[in-house]
Amino acid sequence: MTLSLFDEDHGVVVGANEWLASQACVLRGRVLAQADDILSAIESITTAAPFRHLVTPGGTTMSVAMSNCGALGWVSDRRGYRYSPHDPLSGQRWPAMPDSFQHLARQAAEAAGFPSFQPDACLINRYEPGTRLTLHQDRDEQDYGHPIVSVSLGMPAVFLFGGLTRNERPARIPLYHGDVVVWGGVDRLRFHGVAPLKAASHPRLGAVRLNLTFRRAA
């Protein structure tokens, strides 16, 4: 697939590294060429481990629907946030992470300055209009020395990228189909989230945004 330098839908430079902080950047259009293959893999994964709305320790049901693949999956219930090797709905291990997912996560991390990234968890989030993800830090992993790699597919979204304290006003970063965000190092524990999605339609996914978040959990 040949990519235009500029994406006609939103005018950003495809393939550019857009730096958000010293060790955080958006890789514009990074996975456009692989998007159909990624979506096919997601369909297979979520057939085995369907999307579900998790409950927070405080009893709130999350608006984002999610699933996982890899050796570990992120789960939440009244007992807390944690990683588990088993899907609590089925009692079975999470579907294996496709080799293609491992490859794209490693390549994106390396492009952002984090070589040798080996994710063992891939969170798959499903957003619809009105869905949001409140500001939070990713603190359930054992070693913060590994980056986070986040892939956007489908509807556009506004990524909120804040500071190391919750009260710092976050930057609002538009994300589009095929974009990848990577953050780590001194920026690894920045607060981040997703603003409520506005109604829109993507040619491939309709009124849906899918997000893959790769992490090294253990």
Side-chain angles (χ1 to χ4, degrees):
M1 176 180 179
T2 301
L3 300 180
S4 170
L5 178 63
F6 292 94
D7 184 294
E8 295 179 357
D9 289 334
H10 44 80
V12 300
V13 181
V14 172
N17 284 21
E18 183 178 309
W19 291 95
L20 309 179
S22 62
Q23 291 187 282
C25 70
V26 182
L27 308 174
R28 293 292 182 188
R30 178 78 189 191
V31 299
L32 277 174
Q34 305 108 287
D36 286 345
D37 290 340
I38 296 169
L39 291 172
S40 294
I42 291 173
E43 184 175 358
S44 295
I45 291 163
T46 55
T47 297
F51 285 111
R52 75 290 308 265
H53 294 272
L54 300 178
V55 175
T56 69
T60 301
T61 300
M62 296 182 181
S63 64
V64 176
M66 75 172 301
S67 184
N68 295 277
C69 67
L72 294 169
W74 187 85
V75 298
S76 173
D77 55 26
R78 289 283 195 168
R79 293 179 292 162
Y81 305 121
R82 63 196 180 279
Y83 285 94
S84 170
H86 298 101
D87 180 346
L89 291 186
S90 67
Q92 302 297 312
R93 288 192 170 273
W94 296 103
M97 190 185 305
D99 290 343
S100 59
F101 281 20
Q102 288 272 358
H103 179 74
L104 75 87
R106 286 197 304 269
Q107 292 296 309
E110 185 171 0
F114 300 100
S116 305
F117 178 49
Q118 297 288 340
D120 57 7
C122 175
L123 286 60
I124 307 172
N125 289 337
R126 187 179 191 272
Y127 295 77
E128 297 179 357
T131 302
R132 61 178 297 189
L133 190 62
T134 57
L135 285 175
H136 65 283
Q137 294 171 301
D138 293 334
R139 284 187 168 274
D140 299 318
E141 299 74 35
Q142 293 184 17
D143 183 352
Y144 301 152
H146 303 284
I148 304 292
V149 175
S150 177
V151 176
S152 291
L153 298 167
M155 289 173 59
V158 174
F159 181 58
L160 305 175
F161 195 63
L164 297 176
T165 62
R166 188 182 294 275
N167 62 359
E168 294 180 62
R169 185 180 181 89
R172 297 174 61 88
I173 313 299
L175 295 179
Y176 304 98
H177 182 70
D179 287 347
V180 179
V181 185
V182 183
W183 67 99
V186 297
D187 298 311
R188 171 62 175 74
L189 291 178
R190 282 181 178 264
F191 280 85
H192 58 281
V194 176
L197 262 68
K198 295 182 179 180
S201 181
H202 184 266
R204 175 73 163 78
L205 290 174
V208 169
R209 174 183 185 252
L210 295 174
N211 171 246
L212 305 178
T213 302
F214 295 94
R215 306 176 183 179
R216 182 74 189 182

